[in-house]
Amino acid sequence: MRALKPALGRSFASLSVPNYRRYFYGQIVSLSGTWMQTVGELWLVLTLTGSAVAVGVTTALQFTPILLFGAWAGVLADRMDKRRLLICTQAAMAIPAIVLWLLAATGVVQPWMVFAVVFARGAVNAIDNPARQSFVVELVGPARVVNAVGLNSAIVQTARVAGPALAGIVIATAGVSTAFLINAISFIAMIVALRGMRPEELERSEPTPRRAGQLRSAVRYVRATPRLYIPLLLTAVVGTLSFNFQTLLPLLARFTFHGHAGTYAALTTAMGVGAVVGALMASARPTVGPKLLVGAAATFGGMLIAAASAPDLVLEVVVLAFTGAASVTFASSVNSFLQLNVRPSMRGRVMALYSVVFLGSNPIGGPLMGWISGEAGPRTGLLVGAAAALAAAVVARGAFARAEPAEVTEDRPRREQSPVTRDLTPVT
């Protein structure tokens, strides 16, 4: 118990920052509402069409805008005051929810209308995401960014468990339209949190002046910085081929274990709980280095092999809890590593590129893994993801070794790495 208290203290250290504390509680409410909206949209489309393909299209439309123009949204995040931009995007995110509430409540809703609303919500999220990702370091500073990113991951995973559970209750008792209304109201919490912050306590970076070619310059900057392009390429492979649980878990529940909705709920809950624990463990780390990135990807791949090999449902639930912990450790580590090693004036654009390769890969990887699982079974889909994560880890380790030989065995950044230390010295 004595050893547990310091660890918990480290895990929640960023909550000592008043601005971050407001942000943290606002995010809990807002993200839970967003997950309610997501579940409601999928349920509504399934009710209207009875088509699994339509459900897949709905899922893909959430992330397609990030793939299409998420990188340009990073330019906007670097040009503008991020707090004010987030107030605008959070207010705009409520509009699709209100529209869908009105359509569903009046009974005039059609599948194409849901598709349009989902795409519109994804378009706003494409702008919101890089601003939100890059705003974290302004809230807590570089010394606490690893902790804050870990706590953000814990919030996301907690909302991923609580939101669908609340959505199920609301849809069963008050109808699917009510879930959309609750989500619209939930954005008030985030707007209040953002407006209640003390701007003078933010560690702001200077807005980048408007000029042509800013996205191209960000791409050139990433290509010239191994500590940025290696984790981004690693994330592109793992995000496309390994992070496809929305597609694989229902197939695993239905076709591998011949279960029902309760089976699917057990699998998703186990993974969500493991992810929350993994996020809290990640937030207790003082810093992040190449060794952790490579190890997290390899561990994730190993857990996917175990998940593909589990002989029965009970063992699968246990393995998926560890898989959830490994997956969020990888994602939060890459996020933190990029935040620590990017030039402040480029942070919005680089985090936008991270969103593109991590979230924007869903419309590509999801259908691909669905096809593979349909042809060869869900276990094969998991094995393909495992092979991708393990191979990417091996390649990334070699790339880090060639670019920065000392970094493979030592997580502390070298002082002579000018693109990093000149602008933002990582925590040691």
Side-chain angles (χ1 to χ4, degrees), residues 303-351:
M303 294 313 303
L304 287 174
I305 292 175
S309 308
D312 55 58
L313 181 60
V314 173
L315 189 56
E316 185 70 80
V317 167
V318 174
V319 170
L320 281 178
F322 286 97
T323 306
S327 68
V328 79
T329 298
F330 170 77
S332 63
S333 297
V334 172
N335 189 312
S336 299
F337 189 79
L338 292 172
Q339 298 261 23
L340 287 168
N341 288 282
V342 68
R343 183 184 302 163
S345 61
M346 291 282 186
R347 184 171 288 117
R349 280 165 283 179
V350 170
M351 297 314 295

Side-chain angles (χ1 to χ4, degrees), residues 77 82 129-138 339 347-348 351:
K82 295 177 181 62
N129 198 276
R132 201 158 22 90
Q133 299 275 3
S134 55
F135 186 54
V136 172
V137 74
E138 294 190 7
Q339 298 261 23
R347 184 171 288 117
M351 297 314 295

Side-chain angles (χ1 to χ4, degrees), residues 4 16 33 48 55 60 96 119 124 126-127 137 186 190 216-217 225 268 286 303 310 336 349 385 398 416 419 421:
L4 183 60
S16 63
L48 292 172
V55 172
F119 186 85
V124 179
I127 300 172
V137 74
S186 74
M190 195 64 205
R216 290 193 301 272
S217 67
T225 312
T268 55
M303 294 313 303
S336 299
R349 280 165 283 179
E416 64 268 28
T421 56

Side-chain angles (χ1 to χ4, degrees), residues 77-82 204-210 214 345:
D78 282 334
R79 287 177 179 175
M80 297 182 64
D81 180 289
K82 295 177 181 62
R204 295 177 177 178
S205 56
E206 287 295 322
T208 302
R210 179 188 296 269
Q214 288 179 314
S345 61

Side-chain angles (χ1 to χ4, degrees), residues 133-173:
Q133 299 275 3
S134 55
F135 186 54
V136 172
V137 74
E138 294 190 7
L139 285 168
V140 300
R144 289 191 177 96
V145 70
V146 176
N147 175 255
V149 169
L151 283 177
N152 284 355
S153 298
I155 296 171
V156 171
Q157 299 305 325
T158 301
R160 190 172 188 170
V161 174
L166 291 172
I169 296 171
V170 169
I171 291 170
T173 58

Side-chain angles (χ1 to χ4, degrees), residues 339-378:
Q339 298 261 23
L340 287 168
N341 288 282
V342 68
R343 183 184 302 163
S345 61
M346 291 282 186
R347 184 171 288 117
R349 280 165 283 179
V350 170
M351 297 314 295
L353 293 174
Y354 169 74
S355 297
V356 169
V357 300
F358 187 53
L359 298 177
S361 60
N362 185 274
I364 300 171
L368 177 61
M369 287 299 105
W371 175 77
I372 291 173
S373 298
E375 294 293 319

